[in-house]
Amino acid sequence: DVKVTQSSRYLVKRTGEKVFLECVQDMDHENMFWYRQDPGLGLRLIYFSYDVKMKEKGDIPEGYSVSREKKERFSLILESASTNQTSMYLCASSLRDRGLMTDTQYFGPGTRLTVL
Amino acid sequence: SQQGEEDPQALSIQEGENATMNCSYKTSINNLQWYRQNSGRGLVHLILIRSNEREKHSGRLRVTLDTSKKSSSLLITASRAADTASYFCATVGNQFYFGTGTSLTVIP
């Protein structure tokens, strides 16, 4: 079974702090994704990566950056956390399907981040 | 929005009844996927239907796709209390777009 793990289930940070959210997958997937989930807004894509050191902005990249130094690990960085970044953060991975990103996504359990 | 939109937003049924959720979308797709999310957890993939397929079954799940109407439905038959969760459709073209979900409550 594919396993996607996230470093923390719950995290509380203060405004202005630098926050690292880590995601690791064990199935050699090329694609990895970071989403945030807010009530009434569904899942919104922050960034995705289709290969090591490659990254692409999603729909809401402002205030975030990412790092993919190894194939299995994809990190989301909040450079200076703000209260409007309080949310559930979900990491996912998938195989690269014929060069596209159309295959099933496998999700981690999520990190609920609270910024005070 | 390029997201799929689920309907209804919330659904409450008795155990043993069937549950139907609908998803409408606007752009052309490669495939459409349904996911389930238990409260406070990550999403779990349920079923994928390709754009050239009209119907697909998996256990108690039945998914239909009508590309001319840009809509899909998920039917859960003989529901159980353990089916209580949120259900999301994901429309997949060049990217994934998740809808806002249907919250299903199955009352024992």
Side-chain angles (χ1 to χ4, degrees):
Chain A
D1 275 354
V2 175
K3 193 163 185 185
V4 180
T5 57
Q6 294 183 229
S7 49
S8 306
R9 290 283 286 124
Y10 300 93
L11 208 52
V12 180
K13 295 292 182 180
R14 296 214 172 268
T15 302
E17 279 192 79
K18 191 168 185 175
V19 181
F20 292 87
L21 302 182
E22 304 283 340
C23 176
V24 178
Q25 51 95 4
D26 67 357
M27 281 303 289
D28 204 35
H29 284 172
E30 292 87 0
N31 303 325
M32 295 188 76
F33 308 83
W34 275 107
Y35 295 90
R36 66 176 281 176
Q37 184 178 24
D38 300 287
L41 297 177
L43 275 75
R44 293 180 291 167
L45 182 64
I46 304 171
Y47 268 96
F48 64 95
S49 168
Y50 53 88
D51 205 345
V52 175
K53 296 193 186 294
M54 305 305 288
K55 59 187 179 185
E56 293 286 341
K57 293 180 180 179
D59 298 318
I60 52 164
E62 296 78 19
Y64 304 94
S65 62
V66 290
S67 171
R68 192 158 179 209
E69 296 297 319
K70 293 184 177 181
K71 191 175 186 180
E72 67 271 18
R73 188 179 297 268
F74 192 34
S75 302
L76 179 69
I77 303 151
L78 287 66
E79 296 290 342
S80 178
S82 63
T83 55
N84 63 12
Q85 291 177 311
T86 291
S87 186
M88 170 73 112
Y89 289 88
L90 293 165
C91 174
S93 72
S94 74
L95 287 169
R96 190 186 300 153
D97 178 20
R98 292 169 293 167
L100 301 175
M101 286 192 282
T102 57
D103 208 353
T104 299
Q105 292 194 10
Y106 295 87
F107 282 81
T111 295
R112 187 164 294 281
L113 173 67
T114 302
V115 183
L116 302 175
Chain B
S1 166
Q2 291 173 288
Q3 287 177 324
E5 305 224 350
E6 286 96 341
D7 171 59
Q9 288 188 332
L11 181 60
S12 184
I13 59 173
Q14 294 290 132
E15 201 165 33
E17 292 180 340
N18 294 342
T20 299
M21 290 158 261
N22 302 296
C23 173
S24 59
Y25 59 94
K26 294 179 182 176
T27 60
S28 61
I29 60 171
N30 179 288
N31 67 65
L32 187 144
Q33 302 180 25
W34 286 90
Y35 288 77
R36 167 196 167 122
Q37 183 181 34
N38 284 24
S39 180
R41 309 295 295 184
L43 279 70
V44 175
H45 179 256
L46 294 176
I47 196 164
L48 179 155
I49 186 165
R50 300 193 187 283
S51 60
N52 61 355
E53 296 176 311
R54 292 295 167 258
E55 188 170 315
K56 204 159 182 180
H57 297 253
S58 176
R60 293 184 296 114
L61 305 179
R62 173 179 167 250
V63 170
T64 61
L65 179 64
D66 186 335
T67 52
S68 65
K69 295 182 179 177
K70 290 187 166 57
S71 68
S72 173
S73 67
L74 171 68
L75 169 68
I76 304 173
T77 60
S79 64
R80 305 166 182 169
D83 294 329
T84 294
S86 292
Y87 292 82
F88 295 85
C89 69
T91 52
V92 185
N94 291 327
Q95 272 189 250
F96 261 74
Y97 288 103
F98 285 90
T100 52
T102 292
S103 177
L104 173 66
T105 302
V106 181
I107 302 163

